[in-house]
Every structure is written in C-alpha cells, then in structure tokens.
Amino acid sequence: MSSQIIPVEPFDYVVFGGNGDLADRKLLPALYHRDRDNQIPEQARIIGASRTTMSHEEYRHFARGALEQHVAAEDLHPQSIERFLSRLYYCTIDARADGGWDELRAMLDEAEPNRIRAFYLAVSPSLFGDIASRISEKGLSNDRSRLVVEKPVGRDLASARALNVTIGEHFREDQVFRIDHYLGKETVQNLMALRFANALYEPLWNAGHIDHVQITVAESVGLEGRAGYYDKAGALRDMIQNHLVQLMCLVALEPPASFDAGALRDEKLKVLRALKPITTANVEQVTVRGQYRAGASGGQAVKGYIEDLGNGESDIETFVAIKAEIANWRWAGVPFYLRTGKRLAQRVSEIVVTFKPIPHNIFDSSAGNVTQNQLVLRLQPDEGVKQWLMIKDPGPGGMRLKHVPLDMYFAQSFHVRNPDAYERLLMDVIRGNQTLFMRRDEVEAAWEWVDPILKAWEEKGVRAQGYTAGTWGPSAAIALIERDGRTWHEPD
Ligand code: BG6
C-alpha cells in the first residue's frame, strides 16, 4: 500500500530565520520531500528572510547544503533538487526596523492577490511580536495569510499571554499556527487512531484498568550550540511545557466528537485544566531537576553542561522528571510519570501505558510470573507500537507463560518512508488545518500548570542534581518512581 499525496493550493511560504538552524535541519528538507512527492504546485514559492545579506542564488546554495546534509542520500535526486531550488527566493530583512519590508511586499505582490501566504517565524522568540506586528503594519498580510509560530510561546504565563495578545491584534486565531512538532510525529497520530478507530482500547482506557503512564523523551545530544537560548529556558520550558504535556493530553483526553481542530483542542484543554497543581507543598516529592556532568555518549567522552556552556556557572536543568496527576473521573489515582533530558543513555521517545495486574492468577508458580500488559508507543527512533501480552510459551514443557510483544512496526509493514513531523505540519498550515497545532488557550493553560513549578523550585531552592552524561539522569529520578513500587520502562 502506498501513501496518498494530495496536492495543496499554490502558496508563498516566507521563512523568517530562513538561513537559521531550524530551516537548515528541518524546514528546507521537509519542503524538499513534499516537493519531491509532487505535493507542492508549480507556482509555489519559498522565500527565506533574515538579516544576513544574500542573493537568491546564494540562498539556493545554502539550501543545497541543507539538503545534502539532512536528506538521506537515496532521496536526493538531481532533478528533484534543481526543481526544489528553483522555487526558492531570498529577502534581506530587519525584523526590528524598516529595512527589507517593502522589498518583501513587492515580491509577494507579484503573485495573484488571494494566494495563500504563510509566514513562518523560525527566529528567536523575542522577535515573534515584532515580526507579527510588522507583517500586518507593512501590509503583507491578506485574508488568507497564516502565521506559524515556533515554540516556546513565552517563557511564563505572563509573557505567553502578552505575546498572544500582540499576535491577536494582527491575526485572527484561525490564522495562527503554534507549532509543537511532536504532534506531527507519526506515532502520535497513531495514538489517536489506536484509541478512536478501534473498539478494543477505549473501554480499558481509564483508572479502572490502567495502572500508570510513562512518557519519556530522552536525547543523547547535549547543547548543540544553542547555549544562548537553552540556558535561559531549561528542560521544563523547552520540553515539558509543550512536547510532553501535549503527549500527556493526547493520552488522557476524552473522545472528541470529531477529529476536527476545535473538538480535539477543546478536549486537550480540559485535560490541562484538570492537572493537579504542583506547588511548594509537594514540589520536592513529585519533581526532580538534573544537570549533566562529564561522561560518555556513543562511546565518546563528552563534557558536562557547564563546560559546554563555556562561561561561568548555571543551575539550569537539562533533565526533569515529574509525577503528574489528572484530577478527573477517568484518571484519578493514575500517575503520569514524565521525564526528559539531554545527554541521556540513548535517544528514545516513548509513551508506555501499563495496565493493572490481573485480579487473580490461576496458574501455579511453575508457569512463571504474570507481567502486566503494556502498550508501548515508540515515537523515535523506529516509530511503532508494541502491545505486550502474556502467552503460553509454545511447544511442550507444560504451561509456561511468556511476555511477548505484538509488534506493529508500521513503516516496515506498509513499505513507506516515515515522514518527518515537519512535512505534515508545513502542509497542514497551507491546508488551514489546525488540528495538530496549539490553540491560544491551550498554551496558556499549559503555562498555568508549569508556572507554579518554576516558582516552587525557586522558593524552595530546588537545585539541579548532577548526573553523568550517558546515564538515565539523577538517582532521584529513579527514586521518584520506585517510591511508588514502579520502575521506568527500559527501552529495547
Ligand atoms: C525542540 C527542543 O523543540 O525539540 C530541543 O527545543 C530538542 O531542545 C528537540 O532537542 C527534540 O526534537 P526531536 O524531534 O529531535 O525529538
């Protein structure tokens, strides 16, 4: 079975930060793939915009480098590359002053007046407000414009609200696409399919049958040259407030009436609003902060965070573990253990749903232990789903029980390339489909839960505990879950 490509309408994609890290690693490669699959119409243009002075040709040269580095060799074809590069243009622009805006407007005005214009802000969050205002004040926006905002939206509740207000002054909410690229990952969408396209799981999807849920987003990389941003953010703002909280919402939400943006986002919002507050009273029991120290990654010695930073001291966390709880009828008493960190033992992201133990064991001890059923949704690497079950060990030898996975490794079974999350999301923007994007109230509700954690850490002086690079984080994170008689799932 092959995937189905539905071409989109002609568009102009203006990428602010067009020669930055995100454009280089993700956006240009993703657009290339969509073009190669013939999803991008002939007239479409991609316009890189940034402060750097560059010609169209120089920008195409930059993009060629991005493709060569970040697209798999078997997907690079000279004809496809040339066709893609011919769609690229460049505009030198100053986000905080007037330079370049008239030129950009003139470029956009060359196309038919009602063409879709998508403005992608792949820049420092401190520029979001300025750029959004200028796009509208300089008359670049039309009724069919979309504004795409990368995370993080704000650095706390107050700044997120202020930014949303500024954006709202210039764009309608249905024009604003707040990206959380985790929502574009295949397995995350598969979670929706498993839950709501099967009759099997939903009756069991509650506190009566589920023991606990673990969400791990572990990275083996360190700072990757992003010290300026990261040291002001830390893992709670960088990963938990958005990616992990969004994943938790999708696991926990009530069945929406339809898979449309409004219905799905209403249900996510209810989960966010039901999150039990974490305050000074319990912050030390239910959260752990960590920071990596020198160690090893992939067999190589690596530096600690402070040495990576290169200047001075920092107590910013590169690791967080949280025991979260959702105070509603479906989930009361079911912990959601979240953990994320840099320089961990391996790169792996997964959601693990552990079901309750069987109520009574009819087998005698010679059959072996009965392990709890687990549903493991692997986001990366090797996207797929495993449903762990108990079976009889095949063959003679009496009744012996065995814990085995029912393996649903989709990309392999369907012989398709697993698309990067950005491919889908970039095209959803053009289609005007906001289902996999965060709505204003959702972002603010997530901050309403995260803000008190930040404050409680500060008030209680909760320091980041050191962990050796290449391990699973501070020992306190292991203690956090073991106190409850459970263990972190060991990825295979
Ligand atoms: C980004 C974070 O949103 O997600 C980065 O800012 C992180 O710090 C990245 O490395 C992880 O994304 P992925 O898709 O590689 O898991």
Side-chain angles (χ1 to χ4, degrees):
M1 193 201 234
S2 67
S3 49
Q4 231 188 343
I5 308 294
I6 307 165
V8 296
E9 271 186 66
F11 59 79
D12 284 332
Y13 236 117
V14 182
V15 182
F16 290 90
N19 61 343
D21 182 58
L22 188 70
D24 177 46
R25 284 188 305 118
K26 294 287 183 185
L27 305 181
L28 291 167
L31 288 164
Y32 166 78
H33 276 297
R34 294 298 85 233
D35 190 31
R36 202 180 148 230
D37 283 348
N38 296 319
Q39 193 167 27
I40 297 189
E42 209 46 56
Q43 312 89 314
R45 296 183 295 179
I46 296 152
I47 305 173
S50 96
R51 243 180 2 187
T52 318
T53 308
M54 235 193 250
S55 64
H56 300 313
E57 264 324 304
E58 282 166 329
Y59 189 55
R60 290 177 191 136
H61 179 73
F62 165 80
R64 187 187 292 277
L67 302 185
E68 281 167 3
Q69 218 187 330
H70 302 293
V71 175
E74 70 261 25
D75 295 325
L76 283 175
H77 296 287
Q79 259 183 328
S80 313
I81 297 177
E82 294 317 316
R83 182 174 77 170
F84 178 68
L85 294 181
S86 73
R87 303 191 189 293
L88 299 189
Y89 298 85
Y90 185 77
C91 184
T92 306
I93 208 159
D94 190 344
R96 289 207 161 117
D98 285 338
W101 289 94
D102 290 341
E103 289 78 358
L104 181 56
R105 184 182 169 169
M107 279 168 86
L108 292 173
D109 286 347
E110 284 165 17
E112 64 281 6
N114 67 344
R115 176 182 285 201
I116 294 170
R117 292 179 180 179
F119 300 98
Y120 197 119
L121 308 193
V123 292
S124 154
S126 61
L127 295 173
F128 290 173
D130 281 315
I131 299 182
S133 315
R134 280 211 160 66
I135 290 171
S136 128
E137 284 155 11
K138 298 283 178 189
L140 268 61
S141 186
N142 63 18
D143 199 43
R144 306 188 74 206
S145 294
R146 290 100 160 89
L147 183 76
V148 190
V149 188
E150 262 294 333
K151 59 149 273 276
V153 178
R155 50 173 288 104
D156 53 20
L157 179 59
S159 55
R161 277 194 180 137
L163 182 58
N164 280 334
V165 167
T166 307
I167 290 175
E169 283 164 5
H170 304 288
F171 291 88
R172 299 186 311 267
E173 182 61 23
D174 66 297
Q175 296 181 298
V176 182
F177 290 74
R178 295 177 192 81
I179 277 219
D180 182 318
H181 76 279
Y182 268 64
L183 297 183
K185 293 192 188 262
E186 282 280 297
T187 309
V188 174
Q189 294 168 64
N190 240 318
L191 169 61
M192 294 295 91
L194 277 181
R195 282 194 62 189
F196 302 126
N198 295 289
L200 207 59
Y201 286 106
E202 215 38 37
L204 304 179
W205 211 255
N206 55 52
H209 300 278
I210 291 179
D211 179 76
H212 74 283
V213 177
Q214 297 182 20
I215 302 179
T216 294
V217 178
E219 297 186 90
S220 53
V221 294
L223 259 187
E224 291 191 297
R226 294 164 77 223
Y229 154 74
Y230 196 87
D231 199 54
K232 288 197 197 75
L236 188 69
R237 291 188 177 93
D238 185 47
M239 299 294 289
I240 300 271
Q241 190 273 344
N242 33 81
H243 304 326
L244 281 92
V245 162
Q246 286 290 322
L247 297 181
M248 174 163 61
C249 285
L250 292 180
V251 174
L253 53 72
E254 293 298 318
S258 72
F259 195 50
D260 90 16
L264 191 81
R265 300 195 297 179
D266 285 348
E267 295 306 334
K268 283 201 281 168
L269 187 64
K270 288 185 202 159
V271 176
L272 290 164
R273 296 209 164 131
L275 280 168
K276 242 190 196 170
I278 296 178
T279 62
T280 45
N282 61 350
V283 75
E284 285 158 307
Q285 286 80 52
V286 299
T287 72
V288 174
R289 301 179 72 217
Q291 189 187 77
Y292 65 83
R293 305 282 183 253
S297 176
Q300 302 268 312
V302 292
K303 293 182 192 161
Y305 179 76
I306 301 294
E307 298 87 75
D308 274 347
L309 208 55
N311 54 343
E313 280 305 296
S314 168
D315 185 51
I316 208 73
E317 77 284 351
T318 62
F319 175 97
V320 179
I322 298 183
K323 177 182 174 184
E325 283 180 81
I326 299 168
N328 64 18
W329 272 51
R330 188 187 278 261
W331 295 114
V334 179
F336 282 67
Y337 299 97
L338 315 179
R339 78 178 158 163
T340 184
K342 301 225 178 258
R343 285 277 184 247
L344 295 185
Q346 74 188 77
R347 174 176 183 254
V348 63
S349 298
E350 57 184 25
I351 300 170
V352 181
V353 179
T354 302
F355 291 85
K356 292 219 154 139
I358 52 167
H360 167 70
N361 189 356
I362 64 167
F363 303 104
D364 62 33
S365 56
S366 64
N369 289 333
V370 177
T371 309
Q372 285 163 256
N373 295 137
Q374 278 187 324
L375 178 68
V376 180
L377 296 117
R378 174 76 77 98
L379 276 62
Q380 58 197 25
D382 318 322
E383 295 87 341
V385 179
K386 281 184 185 169
Q387 173 63 67
W388 287 82
L389 300 164
M390 296 305 298
I391 60 155
K392 177 192 168 295
D393 204 355
M399 176 56 86
R400 284 168 298 111
L401 298 170
K402 199 174 160 72
H403 197 218
V404 294
L406 192 64
D407 195 343
M408 300 173 251
Y409 181 34
F410 306 110
Q412 205 174 49
S413 337
F414 292 92
H415 307 291
V416 292
R417 179 184 65 85
N418 246 331
D420 186 77
Y422 278 97
E423 293 182 39
R424 154 115 208 203
L425 297 176
L426 283 163
M427 292 298 104
D428 277 355
V429 169
I430 303 302
R431 284 189 282 255
N433 181 352
Q434 291 183 308
T435 308
L436 299 176
F437 294 81
M438 295 182 290
R439 202 168 58 191
R440 175 177 179 161
D441 48 7
E442 269 184 84
V443 172
E444 292 177 11
W447 277 119
E448 274 171 40
W449 184 66
V450 165
D451 245 14
I453 303 177
L454 287 165
K455 291 206 181 86
W457 278 349
E458 205 180 312
E459 273 174 42
K460 284 279 184 175
V462 177
R463 298 193 59 82
Q465 305 181 28
Y467 62 94
T468 307
T471 64
W472 283 108
S475 51
I478 296 167
L480 173 87
I481 192 163
E482 289 192 348
R483 271 201 298 276
D484 295 344
R486 303 181 174 107
T487 51
W488 290 108
H489 179 251
E490 267 186 42
D492 30 59

